[in-house]
Amino acid sequence: MFDAAVFGSLFLTLFVIMDPPGITPIFLALTAGRPGKVQRRMALQAVCVAGGVIAVFGVLGHQILNYLHVSVPALMIAGGLLLLLIALDLLTGKTDEPKQTKDVNVALVPLGMPLLAGPGAIVSVILAVQKAGSVATQVSVWSAILAIHVVLWLVMRYSLLIIRVIKDGGVVLVTRLAGMMLSAIAVQQIINGVMQVINAA
């Protein structure tokens, strides 16, 4: 009742798209200055939000997009614009100001969505669930989704140890680097969405 090939294929696809190693500096930058207990809770919240969003789209993805008359390229462009706004805040240092970040739960946006549960992950899951014709394949698909979220939680949960090593100065550096990486991801996501619109025209 388990298809290892399907599990491995989807797990690797989601690993590349959701990028657990790459999310580490972004998570550290967005949660900098908060107590360790709060950061650990935010890591769990981000994974739960991402898992919930992906599960909903896995079950009802096509119906939701069709009902809203939203295309996949539009979803990609919107997600890219949202990430770009967050990236600009990281690059300009606005996230260093307590009044702007302490009351904001970044575990929901942008960590949970669209960083983790972004358009790429959502589309991959929708297609994988669609192609799963047997019970064994369905079990494999949902097992891969669960496994990647466990990996994401472990990576973010234990990335907090890095803070003890790099201190405040290192966190500032990580924040700027995260902003650069996130802006590149956002621009690439927008480009991919625009190219899909052009190709479909």
Side-chain angles (χ1 to χ4, degrees):
M1 295 294 289
F2 189 82
D3 192 325
V6 171
F7 173 89
S9 176
L10 182 58
F11 180 84
L12 287 175
T13 299
L14 291 176
F15 188 91
V16 171
I17 293 172
M18 300 176 89
D19 191 15
I23 202 68
T24 300
I26 297 173
F27 173 76
L28 291 176
L30 291 174
T31 61
R34 292 174 170 84
K37 184 178 180 180
V38 173
Q39 290 175 316
R40 288 190 290 272
R41 187 176 72 241
M42 293 177 79
L44 180 60
Q45 286 177 337
V47 170
C48 289
V49 168
V53 170
I54 284 181
V56 168
F57 275 96
V59 176
L60 303 169
H62 272 293
Q63 293 90 326
I64 293 173
L65 294 181
N66 289 337
Y67 177 77
L68 297 174
H69 302 290
V70 173
S71 65
V72 172
L75 188 66
M76 295 179 72
I77 294 170
L81 290 172
L82 178 58
L83 288 182
L84 189 57
L85 291 174
I86 302 298
L88 291 175
D89 280 347
L90 291 176
L91 283 170
T92 57
K94 288 183 179 179
T95 54
D96 294 335
E97 299 174 19
K99 291 183 180 178
Q100 293 192 20
T101 60
K102 296 301 183 183
D103 298 328
V104 177
N105 191 350
V106 295
L108 307 181
V109 177
L111 277 174
M113 184 177 181
L115 272 176
L116 298 182
I122 289 172
V123 171
S124 297
V125 168
I126 290 175
L127 295 176
V129 171
Q130 266 193 327
K131 293 177 182 177
S134 65
V135 174
T137 312
Q138 286 281 355
V139 170
S140 303
V141 165
W142 290 103
S143 296
I145 293 170
L146 178 62
I148 190 63
H149 282 83
V150 170
V151 170
L152 285 166
W153 175 75
L154 289 173
V155 168
M156 288 191 291
R157 166 70 173 77
Y158 290 102
S159 68
L160 300 178
L161 297 176
I162 298 173
I163 293 179
R164 299 177 185 175
V165 178
I166 63 177
K167 306 298 182 183
D168 291 342
V171 170
V172 173
L173 176 62
V174 166
T175 299
R176 300 299 182 266
L177 291 174
M180 289 179 59
M181 290 189 296
L182 195 55
S183 61
I185 292 170
V187 171
Q188 186 61 57
Q189 192 164 295
I190 294 170
I191 291 172
N192 293 343
V194 170
M195 290 302 297
Q196 286 193 27
V197 171
I198 293 172
N199 293 334

